Amino acid sequence: MKIDLRSDTITQPTPAMLEAMLSAKVGDDVYKQDPTVNELEASLAHLFGMEAGLFFPTGTMANQAAIKLHTQPGEQLICDHFAHVFNYEGGGVSFNSGVSCQLIKGQRGMLTADQVESAINPPDFYHSPLTTLVCVENTTNKGGGACYDFLELKRIQQVCQMHGLRYHLDGARIWNALEATHTTPKHYGKLFDSISVCLSKGLGCPVGSVLLGSRELIGRAMRVRKVLGGGMRQIGYLAAAGLYALEHHRDRLADDHRRAKELEAALKKLPIIDHVTPVETNIVIFTLAPDFESDIWDAFLKKQDISLSQMGEGKWRMVTHLDYTEVQHQKLLGLLLDEFSSYY
Ligand SMILES: *Cc1c(COP(=O)(O)O)cnc(C)c1O
């Protein structure tokens, strides 16, 4: 039995999701005539209490479009040094928008309002780039699925308002944050100028992200999406997967979180593990003990057909997801404890 915990993006659409996709009504979305895409965008906008939404093929494109919409070339955005927009979007911030990043060393990828405030360049000091945008991520990817304290996000919003900055949320895993912190989408809709949400991570769709914002912003986002090559035609088939997942795959995120916590507890019992980053959602990051032979670990994973992500410097990552079943979970817990609990 193969166990693949590299990412929550590796899931296969379920038979019921495929059925929903096949029966979708579609039209040409570049003319805004795909009824299923329009329904998905409207229902997400409604869910977050924002005016409008726009479907994107990837979260990267949705974030990049948001940055383009909120900035002018030469300006600067503020984000954490772990941020996806800085680390994992191919340098798009400079390539697409001609913007630089003021990086902050936050806690597990999360900023504080004080850190944001002290990173703003004085607007009349024309030698430095003009700060115009703050990007935050919830949950954090490189931070191991950590969730913001909602009050801190609110304090950051106040800093943005005071200094005339735009405020963008990279909500690729916002569904996990909502589940873990018992906040509602409308809480977040009130804070941000734009939010990108992902359908292909925790929710298990094959494709898709949606950018949310004001009617005016999303109107302009149509042009940016077109420029980036993201204007697509009969994509109601993909949007139907999103509508299906919003209805059927949100509640089960609690299972992913429980399993991640159980993996954390098991790993903490093993003498071969040096450190486990506290689990908040569906991501488990751990470091092997420095004196443990990593060849033995590699051989164990290979023999048992277990795939994890390597993060360098002895760090590993597991992400629980829709296709990680209870049977796989119990097997993995058993294997870890049998093999390594009295290793030395
Ligand atoms: C996955 C992810 C994205 C978007 O990734 P795509 O693969 O382009 O859809 C953006 N931000 C964060 C935090 C992510 O984890």
Side-chain angles (χ1 to χ4, degrees), residues 7-9 56-63 82-85 88-89 136-142 170-173 196-201 207-209 283 317:
S7 174
D8 45 9
T9 57
F56 282 81
T58 64
T60 296
M61 198 189 283
N63 283 334
F82 277 3
H84 196 278
V85 295
Y88 303 125
E89 301 191 1
V136 296
E137 199 172 302
N138 201 25
T139 72
T140 62
N141 179 335
K142 204 172 155 78
D170 176 352
R173 291 199 178 83
S196 61
V197 304
C198 188
L199 303 163
S200 61
K201 294 260 167 79
V207 177
S209 280
I283 302 179
R317 186 182 85 161

Side-chain angles (χ1 to χ4, degrees), residues 86-103:
F86 175 72
N87 288 287
Y88 303 125
E89 301 191 1
V93 173
S94 55
F95 189 95
N96 297 315
S97 299
V99 164
S100 57
C101 295
Q102 176 73 270
L103 300 179

Side-chain angles (χ1 to χ4, degrees), residues 37 44 47 74 93 96 116 125 149 162 167 192 202 238 243 255 276 281 295 304 310 341-343:
V37 177
L44 277 168
L47 190 64
V93 173
N96 297 315
V116 170
F125 187 70
D149 174 357
M162 211 150 44
Y167 193 22
F192 294 95
L238 305 178
L243 285 166
D255 295 334
V276 188
T281 52
D295 289 357
Q304 302 297 345
Q310 216 162 348
S341 51
S342 55
Y343 182 73

Side-chain angles (χ1 to χ4, degrees), residues 272-275 285-290 292 294 297 309-317:
I272 64 156
I273 305 289
D274 189 51
H275 178 74
I285 293 177
F286 61 94
T287 310
L288 296 175
F292 174 61
S294 64
W297 179 250
S309 289
Q310 216 162 348
M311 299 179 76
E313 297 164 359
K315 257 196 198 177
W316 291 79
R317 186 182 85 161

Side-chain angles (χ1 to χ4, degrees), residues 179-248:
E179 171 62 36
T181 61
H182 304 293
T183 44
T184 69
K186 288 209 169 53
H187 282 115
Y188 294 84
K190 282 204 191 82
L191 293 193
F192 294 95
D193 296 297
S194 55
I195 300 179
S196 61
V197 304
C198 188
L199 303 163
S200 61
K201 294 260 167 79
L203 295 186
C205 294
V207 177
S209 280
V210 174
L211 183 67
L212 303 166
S214 67
R215 211 163 276 119
E216 184 270 337
L217 186 89
I218 296 303
R220 291 194 291 126
M222 292 274 290
R223 180 183 296 275
V224 175
R225 186 181 70 172
K226 185 73 190 175
V227 170
L228 295 174
M232 299 180 291
R233 305 296 176 173
Q234 285 73 20
I235 50 170
Y237 296 116
L238 305 178
L243 285 166
Y244 178 87
L246 285 169
E247 193 176 328
H248 296 99

